[in-house]
Amino acid sequence: MSCGISMVKYILFIFNLLCSICGILLIVFGALLFSKVHNFDDFAEALRTQQVPVTMIVLGTIILLISWFGCCGAIRESYCMSMTYSILLFVLMIGQLALVIYMWVQKDKYLQIMGEAVEKAWDNRTRRSDYMDALQISMKCCGRNGFSDYSFQGKFPPSCCSDTNNCRMETVYQRGCKATFIDFWDRNSDIIKYAGLVIAGIEFVGFVFACCLANSIRNYRRRAEY
């Protein structure tokens, strides 16, 4: 096998190892975001808040699988596997860019959905442990708009304080859950968008190298036949 093919092969192999790391990071970051909202599992309106972390986990898994496929194609120097890998990588890159564009264009709408989820949780709160308690514990917030929302009760629920056994004015969380929840997704949506663009750029480089490797393998085999 020629030196040019070997160089491209090793570059592509290293690239796929890096992509595997990116896929793992997406899965981990998505799982961390998911852990913040997993308490809404049975709450129909709030299910939409899990779309982004679930998408990140699925996307990370797909990137990881495709990367391992690319590693096998590079090691075996297979034209068919290399071309299949490049096509899969291109499709993944387009899908990823579409997701980033959607988050960029529909950010205000998505943040509005986050606010509506908190409103729904507040309207459906009960005297026992419920979705509002889960939100207050995970986000370290109190009430819909602030701790004063509980003034009609004359006391704060234990979930509004870090010390659940001694919840009082001095230890209560000051911020309301609606603003906290929206800010949480506002901050992380920017991270998701820019990380998505960086990963898409890396995938484009991998796509080019995969095409080069497949083309080099095909040309080498053609010359070998003569």
Side-chain angles (χ1 to χ4, degrees):
M1 191 63 70
S2 68
C3 180
I5 294 179
S6 297
M7 182 177 296
V8 174
K9 179 182 71 174
Y10 288 121
I11 291 175
L12 190 60
F13 179 78
I14 294 173
F15 165 79
N16 280 292
L17 287 180
L18 294 176
C19 278
S20 298
I21 295 174
C22 289
I24 293 172
L25 290 177
L26 269 178
I27 294 172
V28 171
F29 189 59
L32 291 175
L33 291 178
F34 185 83
S35 67
K36 287 288 186 179
V37 293
H38 75 280
N39 293 300
F40 289 99
D41 284 339
D42 301 320
F43 195 39
E45 279 296 317
L47 281 175
R48 293 179 292 176
T49 63
Q50 298 185 15
Q51 289 176 354
V52 170
V54 169
T55 301
M56 291 179 64
I57 293 172
V58 172
L59 188 62
T61 303
I62 293 173
I63 290 175
L64 189 60
L65 292 175
I66 292 178
S67 297
W68 281 110
F69 189 85
C71 286
C72 293
I75 292 173
R76 298 187 61 180
E77 298 178 353
S78 169
Y79 170 78
C80 181
M81 291 184 71
S82 297
M83 280 304 299
T84 302
Y85 165 74
S86 63
I87 293 172
L88 290 174
L89 197 61
F90 181 76
V91 172
L92 178 64
M93 181 184 67
I94 296 300
Q96 201 164 296
L97 287 175
L99 177 63
V100 170
I101 293 172
Y102 171 79
M103 294 220 34
W104 224 300
V105 175
Q106 300 292 334
K107 180 179 179 179
D108 292 339
K109 181 180 179 181
Y110 194 80
L111 293 180
Q112 182 181 353
I113 293 174
M114 301 300 106
E116 291 173 354
V118 177
E119 291 280 355
K120 198 72 174 180
W122 175 260
D123 292 339
N124 289 274
R125 69 190 186 282
T126 61
R127 291 183 180 276
R128 55 186 174 79
S129 179
D130 58 9
Y131 302 107
M132 202 65 205
D133 283 332
L135 183 61
Q136 288 168 164
I137 292 172
S138 61
M139 291 291 166
K140 300 186 185 305
C141 55
C142 185
R144 177 178 54 187
N145 299 311
F147 64 89
S148 60
D149 290 338
Y150 288 106
S151 59
F152 69 94
Q153 292 185 186
K155 63 177 182 178
F156 304 113
S159 59
C160 272
C161 299
S162 55
D163 184 2
T164 58
N165 296 319
N166 186 23
C167 192
R168 60 186 190 278
M169 181 65 71
E170 291 77 12
T171 59
V172 71
Y173 298 131
Q174 301 295 313
R175 292 199 70 190
C177 290
K178 184 175 182 179
T180 302
F181 201 52
I182 291 176
D183 287 348
F184 171 79
W185 283 110
D186 190 19
R187 292 192 307 271
N188 286 288
S189 65
D190 289 335
I191 296 175
I192 293 169
K193 286 185 296 187
Y194 291 118
L197 288 176
V198 171
I199 294 174
I202 294 173
E203 288 169 350
F204 178 76
V205 174
F207 167 74
V208 172
F209 275 107
C211 290
C212 290
L213 177 61
N215 186 60
S216 297
I217 293 173
R218 183 179 60 182
N219 291 337
Y220 176 83
R221 289 179 177 175
R222 285 179 176 176
R223 288 193 296 269
E225 291 175 357
Y226 292 105

